[in-house]
Coordinates of all heavy atoms in Angstrom, one line a residue:
A211 N -38.4 -31.9 -11.1 CA -37.9 -32.3 -9.7 C -37.8 -31.1 -8.9 O -37.5 -30.0 -9.3 CB -36.5 -32.9 -9.9
P212 N -38.1 -31.3 -7.6 CA -38.1 -30.1 -6.7 C -36.7 -29.6 -6.4 O -35.7 -30.4 -6.5 CB -38.7 -30.6 -5.4 CG -38.6 -32.1 -5.5 CD -38.6 -32.5 -6.9
A213 N -36.6 -28.4 -6.2 CA -35.2 -27.8 -5.9 C -34.7 -28.3 -4.6 O -35.5 -28.5 -3.7 CB -35.3 -26.3 -5.9
P214 N -33.4 -28.4 -4.5 CA -32.9 -28.9 -3.2 C -33.1 -27.8 -2.1 O -33.2 -26.6 -2.4 CB -31.4 -29.1 -3.4 CG -31.1 -28.4 -4.7 CD -32.4 -28.3 -5.5
A215 N -33.2 -28.3 -0.9 CA -33.4 -27.3 0.2 C -32.2 -26.4 0.4 O -31.1 -26.9 0.2 CB -33.7 -28.1 1.5
P216 N -32.4 -25.2 0.7 CA -31.3 -24.3 0.9 C -30.5 -24.7 2.1 O -31.0 -25.3 3.0 CB -31.9 -22.9 1.1 CG -33.3 -23.2 1.6 CD -33.7 -24.5 1.0
A217 N -29.2 -24.4 2.0 CA -28.3 -24.8 3.1 C -28.6 -24.0 4.4 O -29.1 -22.8 4.3 CB -26.8 -24.5 2.7
A218 N -28.5 -24.5 5.5 CA -28.7 -23.8 6.8 C -27.7 -22.7 6.9 O -26.6 -22.8 6.4 CB -28.6 -24.8 7.9
L219 N -28.2 -21.6 7.5 CA -27.3 -20.5 7.7 C -26.3 -20.7 8.8 O -26.5 -21.5 9.7 CB -28.2 -19.3 8.1 CG -29.2 -18.8 7.1 CD1 -30.0 -17.6 7.7 CD2 -28.5 -18.3 5.8
L220 N -25.1 -20.1 8.6 CA -24.1 -20.2 9.6 C -24.5 -19.3 10.7 O -25.1 -18.3 10.5 CB -22.8 -19.8 9.0 CG -22.1 -20.7 8.0 CD1 -20.8 -20.0 7.5 CD2 -21.8 -22.1 8.5
S221 N -24.1 -19.6 11.9 CA -24.2 -18.7 13.0 C -22.8 -18.3 13.5 O -21.8 -18.9 13.1 CB -25.0 -19.3 14.2 OG -24.4 -20.5 14.7
Y222 N -22.7 -17.2 14.2 CA -21.4 -16.7 14.7 C -21.5 -16.1 16.0 O -22.6 -15.7 16.5 CB -20.8 -15.7 13.7 CG -21.6 -14.4 13.5 CD1 -21.3 -13.4 14.4 CD2 -22.5 -14.3 12.6 CE1 -22.0 -12.2 14.3 CE2 -23.2 -13.1 12.4 CZ -22.9 -12.0 13.3 OH -23.6 -10.8 13.2
S223 N -20.4 -16.0 16.7 CA -20.2 -15.3 17.9 C -19.2 -14.2 17.7 O -18.2 -14.4 17.0 CB -19.7 -16.2 19.0 OG -20.7 -17.2 19.3
T224 N -19.5 -13.1 18.3 CA -18.6 -11.9 18.2 C -17.5 -12.1 19.3 O -17.8 -12.5 20.4 CB -19.3 -10.6 18.4 OG1 -20.3 -10.5 17.4 CG2 -18.4 -9.4 18.3
V225 N -16.2 -11.9 18.9 CA -15.1 -12.1 19.7 C -14.3 -10.8 19.8 O -14.1 -10.1 18.8 CB -14.2 -13.2 19.2 CG1 -12.9 -13.3 20.0 CG2 -14.9 -14.5 19.1
T226 N -13.9 -10.4 21.0 CA -13.0 -9.2 21.2 C -11.9 -9.7 22.2 O -12.2 -10.3 23.2 CB -13.8 -8.1 21.9 OG1 -14.9 -7.7 21.0 CG2 -12.9 -6.9 22.1
L227 N -10.7 -9.5 21.8 CA -9.6 -9.9 22.7 C -8.4 -8.9 22.6 O -8.3 -8.1 21.6 CB -9.1 -11.3 22.3 CG -8.6 -11.6 21.0 CD1 -7.1 -11.3 20.9 CD2 -8.9 -13.0 20.6
S228 N -7.6 -8.9 23.6 CA -6.4 -8.1 23.7 C -5.3 -9.0 24.1 O -5.4 -9.8 25.0 CB -6.5 -7.0 24.7 OG -7.5 -6.0 24.2
L229 N -4.2 -8.9 23.4 CA -2.9 -9.6 23.7 C -2.0 -8.6 24.1 O -1.5 -7.8 23.3 CB -2.4 -10.4 22.5 CG -1.2 -11.3 22.6 CD1 -1.5 -12.4 23.6 CD2 -0.8 -11.8 21.3
K230 N -1.7 -8.5 25.4 CA -0.9 -7.4 26.0 C 0.5 -7.8 26.3 O 0.8 -9.0 26.6 CB -1.5 -6.8 27.3 CG -2.9 -6.3 27.0 CD -3.5 -5.8 28.3 CE -4.9 -5.2 28.0 NZ -5.6 -4.7 29.1
N231 N 1.4 -6.8 26.2 CA 2.8 -7.0 26.5 C 3.5 -8.2 25.8 O 4.2 -8.9 26.4 CB 3.0 -7.2 28.0 CG 2.5 -6.1 28.8 OD1 2.5 -4.9 28.4 ND2 2.0 -6.3 30.0
S232 N 3.2 -8.3 24.5 CA 3.8 -9.3 23.7 C 4.8 -8.7 22.7 O 4.8 -7.4 22.5 CB 2.8 -10.1 22.9 OG 2.1 -9.3 22.0
S233 N 5.7 -9.5 22.2 CA 6.5 -8.9 21.1 C 5.7 -8.8 19.8 O 4.7 -9.4 19.7 CB 7.7 -9.9 20.9 OG 7.3 -11.1 20.3
F234 N 6.2 -8.0 18.9 CA 5.6 -7.9 17.6 C 5.5 -9.2 16.9 O 4.4 -9.6 16.4 CB 6.3 -6.8 16.7 CG 5.7 -6.6 15.4 CD1 4.5 -5.8 15.3 CD2 6.2 -7.3 14.3 CE1 3.9 -5.7 14.0 CE2 5.6 -7.1 13.0 CZ 4.5 -6.3 12.9
N235 N 6.5 -10.0 17.0 CA 6.5 -11.3 16.4 C 5.5 -12.2 17.0 O 4.8 -13.0 16.3 CB 7.9 -12.0 16.5 CG 8.9 -11.3 15.5 OD1 8.5 -10.6 14.6 ND2 10.2 -11.5 15.8
Q236 N 5.3 -12.2 18.3 CA 4.2 -13.0 18.9 C 2.8 -12.5 18.5 O 2.0 -13.4 18.2 CB 4.3 -12.8 20.5 CG 5.5 -13.6 21.1 CD 5.6 -13.3 22.5 OE1 5.4 -12.1 23.0 NE2 6.0 -14.3 23.3
A237 N 2.6 -11.2 18.3 CA 1.3 -10.7 17.8 C 1.1 -11.2 16.4 O 0.0 -11.7 16.1 CB 1.3 -9.2 17.9
V238 N 2.1 -11.1 15.6 CA 1.9 -11.6 14.2 C 1.7 -13.1 14.1 O 0.9 -13.6 13.4 CB 3.1 -11.1 13.3 CG1 3.1 -11.8 11.9 CG2 3.1 -9.6 13.2
S239 N 2.4 -13.8 15.0 CA 2.3 -15.3 15.0 C 0.8 -15.7 15.5 O 0.2 -16.6 14.9 CB 3.3 -15.9 16.0 OG 3.1 -17.3 16.1
Y240 N 0.3 -14.9 16.4 CA -1.1 -15.2 16.9 C -2.1 -14.9 15.7 O -3.0 -15.8 15.5 CB -1.4 -14.3 18.1 CG -2.8 -14.6 18.6 CD1 -2.9 -15.7 19.5 CD2 -3.9 -13.9 18.3 CE1 -4.1 -16.0 20.1 CE2 -5.2 -14.3 18.8 CZ -5.2 -15.3 19.7 OH -6.5 -15.6 20.2
L241 N -1.9 -13.8 15.0 CA -2.8 -13.6 13.8 C -2.7 -14.7 12.8 O -3.7 -15.1 12.3 CB -2.4 -12.2 13.2 CG -2.8 -11.0 14.0 CD1 -2.2 -9.7 13.4 CD2 -4.3 -10.9 14.2
N242 N -1.4 -15.1 12.6 CA -1.3 -16.2 11.6 C -1.9 -17.5 12.1 O -2.4 -18.3 11.3 CB 0.2 -16.5 11.3 CG 0.9 -15.4 10.5 OD1 0.2 -14.7 9.7 ND2 2.2 -15.2 10.7
S243 N -1.9 -17.8 13.4 CA -2.5 -19.0 13.9 C -4.1 -19.0 13.7 O -4.7 -20.1 13.6 CB -2.2 -19.2 15.4 OG -2.9 -18.2 16.2
L244 N -4.7 -17.8 13.6 CA -6.1 -17.8 13.3 C -6.5 -18.4 12.0 O -7.6 -18.9 11.8 CB -6.6 -16.3 13.4 CG -6.5 -15.7 14.8 CD1 -7.0 -14.2 14.7 CD2 -7.4 -16.4 15.8
E245 N -5.5 -18.4 11.1 CA -5.8 -19.0 9.8 C -5.9 -20.5 9.8 O -6.4 -21.1 8.9 CB -4.7 -18.6 8.8 CG -4.7 -17.2 8.4 CD -3.6 -16.9 7.3 OE1 -2.4 -16.9 7.7 OE2 -4.0 -16.6 6.2
N246 N -5.4 -21.1 10.9 CA -5.4 -22.5 11.0 C -6.4 -23.1 11.9 O -6.4 -24.3 12.3 CB -4.0 -23.0 11.4 CG -2.9 -22.7 10.4 OD1 -3.2 -22.9 9.2 ND2 -1.8 -22.2 10.9
L247 N -7.4 -22.3 12.3 CA -8.5 -22.7 13.2 C -9.3 -23.7 12.5 O -9.4 -23.7 11.2 CB -9.3 -21.6 13.7 CG -8.7 -20.6 14.7 CD1 -9.7 -19.5 14.9 CD2 -8.4 -21.3 16.0
D248 N -10.0 -24.6 13.2 CA -10.9 -25.5 12.6 C -12.2 -24.8 12.2 O -13.1 -25.4 11.5 CB -11.3 -26.7 13.6 CG -10.1 -27.6 13.8 OD1 -9.2 -27.6 12.9 OD2 -10.0 -28.3 14.8
R249 N -12.4 -23.6 12.7 CA -13.6 -22.9 12.4 C -13.2 -21.6 11.6 O -12.1 -21.1 11.7 CB -14.3 -22.4 13.6 CG -14.8 -23.6 14.5 CD -15.4 -23.2 15.8 NE -15.6 -24.3 16.7 CZ -16.7 -24.8 17.0 NH1 -17.8 -24.2 16.5 NH2 -16.8 -25.8 17.8
A250 N -14.2 -21.1 10.8 CA -14.0 -19.9 10.1 C -13.9 -18.7 11.1 O -14.8 -18.6 11.9 CB -15.0 -19.7 9.0
F251 N -12.9 -17.8 10.9 CA -12.8 -16.7 11.8 C -12.6 -15.4 10.9 O -11.7 -15.4 10.1 CB -11.6 -16.8 12.7 CG -11.5 -15.7 13.8 CD1 -12.1 -16.0 15.0 CD2 -10.9 -14.5 13.6 CE1 -12.1 -15.0 16.0 CE2 -10.8 -13.6 14.5 CZ -11.4 -13.8 15.8
L252 N -13.5 -14.5 11.0 CA -13.4 -13.2 10.2 C -12.9 -12.1 11.1 O -13.6 -11.8 12.1 CB -14.8 -12.9 9.7 CG -14.9 -11.5 9.0 CD1 -14.0 -11.5 7.7 CD2 -16.3 -11.2 8.7
I253 N -11.8 -11.6 10.8 CA -11.3 -10.4 11.6 C -11.9 -9.2 11.1 O -11.8 -8.9 9.9 CB -9.7 -10.3 11.5 CG1 -9.1 -11.6 12.1 CG2 -9.2 -9.1 12.1 CD1 -7.6 -11.6 11.9
T254 N -12.6 -8.5 11.9 CA -13.3 -7.3 11.5 C -12.5 -6.0 11.9 O -12.7 -4.9 11.3 CB -14.7 -7.2 12.1 OG1 -14.6 -7.2 13.6 CG2 -15.6 -8.3 11.6
N255 N -11.6 -6.1 12.8 CA -10.7 -5.0 13.2 C -9.5 -5.5 13.9 O -9.6 -6.4 14.8 CB -11.5 -4.0 14.1 CG -10.7 -2.8 14.5 OD1 -10.1 -2.2 13.6 ND2 -10.6 -2.5 15.7
V256 N -8.4 -5.0 13.5 CA -7.1 -5.4 14.2 C -6.3 -4.1 14.4 O -6.3 -3.2 13.6 CB -6.3 -6.5 13.5 CG1 -5.8 -6.0 12.1 CG2 -5.2 -7.0 14.3
D257 N -5.7 -4.0 15.6 CA -5.0 -2.8 16.0 C -3.8 -3.3 16.8 O -3.9 -4.0 17.8 CB -5.9 -1.9 16.8 CG -5.2 -0.6 17.1 OD1 -4.4 -0.1 16.3 OD2 -5.5 0.0 18.1
I258 N -2.6 -3.0 16.3 CA -1.3 -3.3 17.1 C -0.8 -2.0 17.5 O -0.4 -1.1 16.7 CB -0.3 -4.1 16.2 CG1 -0.9 -5.4 15.8 CG2 1.0 -4.3 17.0 CD1 0.0 -6.3 14.9
V259 N -0.7 -1.8 18.9 CA -0.2 -0.6 19.4 C 1.2 -0.8 20.0 O 1.4 -1.7 20.8 CB -1.2 -0.1 20.5 CG1 -0.7 1.2 21.2 CG2 -2.6 0.0 20.0
S260 N 2.1 0.1 19.7 CA 3.4 0.0 20.2 C 3.4 0.4 21.7 O 2.7 1.3 22.1 CB 4.3 1.0 19.5 OG 5.6 1.0 20.0
G261 N 4.1 -0.4 22.5 CA 4.2 -0.1 23.9 C 3.1 -0.9 24.6 O 1.9 -0.9 24.2
G262 N 3.4 -1.6 25.7 CA 2.4 -2.3 26.4 C 2.0 -1.5 27.6 O 2.1 -0.3 27.7
A263 N 1.5 -2.3 28.6 CA 1.0 -1.6 29.8 C 2.2 -1.2 30.6 O 3.4 -1.5 30.3 CB 0.2 -2.7 30.6
E264 N 2.0 -0.4 31.7 CA 3.0 0.1 32.5 C 3.9 -1.1 33.0 O 3.4 -2.1 33.4 CB 2.4 0.8 33.7 CG 3.4 1.5 34.6 CD 2.7 2.4 35.7 OE1 1.6 2.9 35.4 OE2 3.3 2.4 36.8
G265 N 5.2 -0.9 32.9 CA 6.1 -1.9 33.4 C 6.4 -3.0 32.3 O 7.1 -4.0 32.6
A266 N 5.9 -2.8 31.1 CA 6.1 -3.8 30.1 C 7.5 -3.7 29.5 O 8.2 -2.7 29.7 CB 5.1 -3.5 28.9
A267 N 8.0 -4.8 29.0 CA 9.3 -4.8 28.4 C 9.4 -3.8 27.2 O 8.5 -3.6 26.5 CB 9.6 -6.2 27.9
P268 N 10.6 -3.2 27.1 CA 10.8 -2.3 25.9 C 10.5 -3.1 24.6 O 10.9 -4.2 24.4 CB 12.3 -1.9 26.0 CG 12.7 -2.2 27.4 CD 11.8 -3.4 27.9
G269 N 9.9 -2.4 23.7 CA 9.6 -3.0 22.4 C 8.3 -3.9 22.4 O 7.9 -4.4 21.3
S270 N 7.6 -3.9 23.5 CA 6.4 -4.8 23.5 C 5.2 -4.0 22.8 O 5.3 -2.8 22.6 CB 6.0 -5.1 25.0 OG 5.7 -4.0 25.7
V271 N 4.3 -4.8 22.4 CA 3.1 -4.3 21.7 C 1.8 -4.9 22.4 O 1.9 -5.9 23.1 CB 3.1 -4.6 20.2 CG1 4.3 -4.0 19.5 CG2 3.0 -6.1 20.0
T272 N 0.7 -4.2 22.1 CA -0.6 -4.7 22.5 C -1.4 -4.9 21.2 O -1.5 -4.1 20.4 CB -1.3 -3.7 23.4 OG1 -0.6 -3.6 24.6 CG2 -2.8 -4.2 23.7
L273 N -2.0 -6.1 21.1 CA -2.8 -6.5 19.9 C -4.2 -6.4 20.4 O -4.6 -7.1 21.3 CB -2.5 -7.9 19.4 CG -3.4 -8.5 18.4 CD1 -3.3 -7.9 17.1 CD2 -3.1 -10.0 18.3
N274 N -5.0 -5.6 19.7 CA -6.5 -5.6 20.0 C -7.2 -6.1 18.7 O -6.8 -5.7 17.6 CB -6.9 -4.2 20.2 CG -6.3 -3.6 21.5 OD1 -6.4 -4.2 22.5 ND2 -5.6 -2.5 21.3
L275 N -8.1 -7.0 18.9 CA -8.7 -7.7 17.8 C -10.2 -7.9 18.0 O -10.7 -8.2 19.1 CB -8.1 -9.1 17.7 CG -8.6 -10.0 16.6 CD1 -7.7 -9.8 15.4 CD2 -8.5 -11.5 17.0
N276 N -11.0 -7.6 17.0 CA -12.4 -7.9 17.0 C -12.7 -8.8 15.8 O -12.1 -8.7 14.7 CB -13.2 -6.6 16.8 CG -13.1 -5.6 17.9 OD1 -12.7 -6.0 19.0 ND2 -13.3 -4.4 17.6
G277 N -13.6 -9.7 16.0 CA -13.9 -10.6 14.9 C -15.2 -11.5 15.1 O -15.9 -11.3 16.1
R278 N -15.4 -12.4 14.2 CA -16.5 -13.3 14.3 C -16.0 -14.7 14.1 O -15.3 -14.9 13.1 CB -17.6 -13.0 13.2 CG -18.3 -11.6 13.4 CD -19.2 -11.4 12.3 NE -19.9 -10.1 12.4 CZ -20.5 -9.5 11.4 NH1 -20.7 -10.1 10.3 NH2 -21.1 -8.4 11.6
I279 N -16.4 -15.6 14.9 CA -16.1 -17.0 14.7 C -17.4 -17.7 14.3 O -18.4 -17.6 15.0 CB -15.5 -17.6 16.0 CG1 -14.9 -19.0 15.6 CG2 -16.4 -17.7 17.2 CD1 -13.9 -19.5 16.6
Y280 N -17.4 -18.4 13.2 CA -18.6 -19.0 12.6 C -18.7 -20.5 12.9 O -17.7 -21.2 13.0 CB -18.5 -18.8 11.1 CG -18.8 -17.4 10.7 CD1 -17.7 -16.5 10.6 CD2 -20.0 -16.9 10.3 CE1 -17.9 -15.2 10.2 CE2 -20.2 -15.6 10.0 CZ -19.2 -14.8 9.9 OH -19.4 -13.5 9.5
V281 N -19.9 -20.9 13.1 CA -20.2 -22.3 13.3 C -21.3 -22.7 12.4 O -22.2 -21.9 12.2 CB -20.5 -22.7 14.8 CG1 -19.3 -22.4 15.7 CG2 -21.6 -21.9 15.3
R282 N -21.3 -23.9 12.0 CA -22.5 -24.4 11.2 C -23.4 -25.2 12.1 O -22.9 -25.8 13.1 CB -22.0 -25.3 10.0 CG -21.3 -26.5 10.5 CD -21.1 -27.5 9.3 NE -20.3 -28.6 9.7 CZ -20.6 -29.6 10.5 NH1 -21.8 -29.6 11.1 NH2 -19.8 -30.6 10.9
P283 N -24.6 -25.3 11.8 CA -25.5 -26.2 12.6 C -25.1 -27.6 12.5 O -24.5 -28.1 11.5 CB -26.9 -26.0 11.9 CG -26.7 -24.9 10.9 CD -25.3 -24.7 10.7
P284 N -25.3 -28.4 13.6 CA -24.9 -29.8 13.5 C -25.7 -30.6 12.5 O -26.9 -30.3 12.2 CB -25.1 -30.3 14.9 CG -26.1 -29.4 15.5 CD -25.9 -28.0 14.8
T285 N -25.1 -31.6 11.9 CA -25.9 -32.5 11.0 C -26.8 -33.4 11.8 O -26.6 -33.5 13.1 CB -24.9 -33.4 10.2 OG1 -24.2 -34.2 11.1 CG2 -23.9 -32.5 9.4
A286 N -27.7 -34.1 11.2 CA -28.5 -35.0 11.9 C -27.7 -36.1 12.6 O -28.0 -36.5 13.7 CB -29.5 -35.6 10.9
D287 N -26.7 -36.6 11.9 CA -25.8 -37.6 12.6 C -25.1 -37.1 13.8 O -25.0 -37.8 14.8 CB -24.8 -38.2 11.6 CG -25.4 -39.0 10.5 OD1 -26.6 -39.5 10.7 OD2 -24.8 -39.3 9.4
E288 N -24.7 -35.8 13.7 CA -24.0 -35.2 14.9 C -24.9 -35.0 16.0 O -24.6 -35.2 17.2 CB -23.3 -33.9 14.5 CG -22.1 -34.1 13.6 CD -21.6 -32.8 12.9 OE1 -22.4 -31.9 12.8 OE2 -20.5 -32.8 12.6
E289 N -26.2 -34.6 15.7 CA -27.2 -34.4 16.8 C -27.5 -35.7 17.5 O -27.6 -35.8 18.7 CB -28.4 -33.8 16.2 CG -28.3 -32.3 15.9 CD -29.6 -31.7 15.4 OE1 -30.4 -32.4 14.8 OE2 -29.7 -30.5 15.5
K290 N -27.6 -36.8 16.6 CA -27.9 -38.1 17.2 C -26.8 -38.6 18.1 O -27.0 -39.1 19.2 CB -28.2 -39.1 16.1 CG -28.6 -40.5 16.6 CD -28.9 -41.5 15.5 CE -29.3 -42.9 16.0 NZ -28.7 -43.4 17.2
A291 N -25.6 -38.4 17.6 CA -24.4 -38.9 18.4 C -24.3 -38.1 19.7 O -24.0 -38.7 20.8 CB -23.1 -38.7 17.6
A292 N -24.6 -36.8 19.7 CA -24.6 -36.0 20.9 C -25.7 -36.4 21.9 O -25.5 -36.5 23.1 CB -24.8 -34.5 20.6
A293 N -26.9 -36.7 21.3 CA -28.0 -37.2 22.2 C -27.7 -38.6 22.8 O -28.0 -38.8 24.0 CB -29.3 -37.3 21.4
D294 N -27.1 -39.5 22.0 CA -26.7 -40.8 22.5 C -25.7 -40.6 23.6 O -25.7 -41.3 24.6 CB -26.2 -41.7 21.4 CG -27.3 -42.1 20.4 OD1 -28.5 -41.9 20.7 OD2 -26.9 -42.6 19.3
A295 N -24.7 -39.8 23.4 CA -23.6 -39.6 24.4 C -24.2 -39.0 25.7 O -23.8 -39.4 26.8 CB -22.5 -38.7 23.9
S296 N -25.2 -38.1 25.5 CA -25.8 -37.4 26.7 C -26.6 -38.5 27.5 O -26.6 -38.5 28.7 CB -26.7 -36.3 26.3 OG -27.3 -35.7 27.4
A297 N -27.3 -39.3 26.8 CA -28.1 -40.3 27.4 C -27.2 -41.3 28.1 O -27.5 -41.8 29.3 CB -29.0 -41.1 26.4
A298 N -26.1 -41.7 27.5 CA -25.2 -42.7 28.1 C -24.6 -42.0 29.4 O -24.4 -42.7 30.4 CB -24.1 -43.1 27.2
A299 N -24.3 -40.8 29.3 CA -23.6 -40.1 30.5 C -24.6 -39.9 31.6 O -24.2 -40.0 32.8 CB -23.1 -38.7 30.0
S300 N -25.9 -39.7 31.3 CA -26.8 -39.5 32.4 C -27.4 -40.8 33.0 O -28.0 -40.9 34.0 CB -28.0 -38.6 31.9 OG -28.7 -39.3 30.9
A301 N -27.2 -41.9 32.3 CA -27.6 -43.2 32.8 C -26.7 -43.6 33.9 O -25.5 -43.6 33.8 CB -27.6 -44.3 31.7
S302 N -27.3 -43.9 35.0 CA -26.5 -44.4 36.2 C -26.8 -45.8 36.5 O -28.0 -46.2 36.4 CB -26.7 -43.5 37.4 OG -28.1 -43.5 37.7
P303 N -25.8 -46.5 36.9 CA -26.1 -47.9 37.2 C -27.0 -48.0 38.5 O -26.9 -47.2 39.4 CB -24.7 -48.5 37.5 CG -23.8 -47.3 37.8 CD -24.5 -46.2 37.1
E304 N -27.9 -49.0 38.5 CA -28.8 -49.2 39.6 C -28.0 -49.8 40.7 O -27.2 -50.7 40.5 CB -30.0 -50.0 39.2 CG -30.9 -49.3 38.2 CD -32.1 -50.2 37.9 OE1 -32.5 -51.0 38.8 OE2 -32.7 -50.0 36.8
A305 N -28.3 -49.3 41.9 CA -27.6 -49.9 43.1 C -28.4 -51.2 43.4 O -29.6 -51.2 43.4 CB -27.7 -49.0 44.3
S306 N -27.7 -52.2 43.7 CA -28.3 -53.5 44.1 C -27.9 -53.8 45.6 O -26.8 -53.5 46.0 CB -27.9 -54.6 43.2 OG -26.5 -54.8 43.2
P307 N -28.9 -54.2 46.3 CA -28.5 -54.5 47.7 C -27.5 -55.6 47.8 O -27.5 -56.6 47.0 CB -29.8 -54.9 48.4 CG -30.7 -55.2 47.2 CD -30.2 -54.5 46.0
S308 N -26.6 -55.5 48.8 CA -25.7 -56.6 49.0 C -26.1 -57.4 50.2 O -26.6 -56.8 51.1 CB -24.2 -56.0 49.1 OG -24.2 -55.1 50.2
A309 N -25.8 -58.6 50.1 CA -26.1 -59.5 51.2 C -25.1 -59.3 52.4 O -23.9 -59.1 52.1 CB -26.0 -61.0 50.8
T310 N -25.7 -59.1 53.6 CA -24.8 -58.9 54.7 C -24.9 -60.2 55.6 O -26.0 -60.7 55.9 CB -25.2 -57.7 55.5 OG1 -26.6 -57.8 55.8 CG2 -24.9 -56.4 54.7
P311 N -23.8 -60.8 56.0 CA -23.8 -62.0 56.8 C -24.3 -61.7 58.2 O -24.3 -60.7 58.7 CB -22.4 -62.5 56.8 CG -21.6 -61.5 56.2 CD -22.5 -60.4 55.6

């Protein structure tokens, strides 16, 4: 029997973000929320710096984060559903002339 086809490769987008003037607890909470994303997220660099921007509240921190968010290619069923939805959205009702007395 032939070998099954290899799985499609995942693709990813590189993400860089900064969370400024937050409390340390807010920064840690944000990092924890990344674990609950519907997509895989790989943190490649994280830096928490004490002190925020000028005028920031005492005890604030800045979170700097680099990472990759991964997505898988759509399945055939998902592609068909997207194409059907696109076709339905682009279909416009035909205007019919109205009778004027």
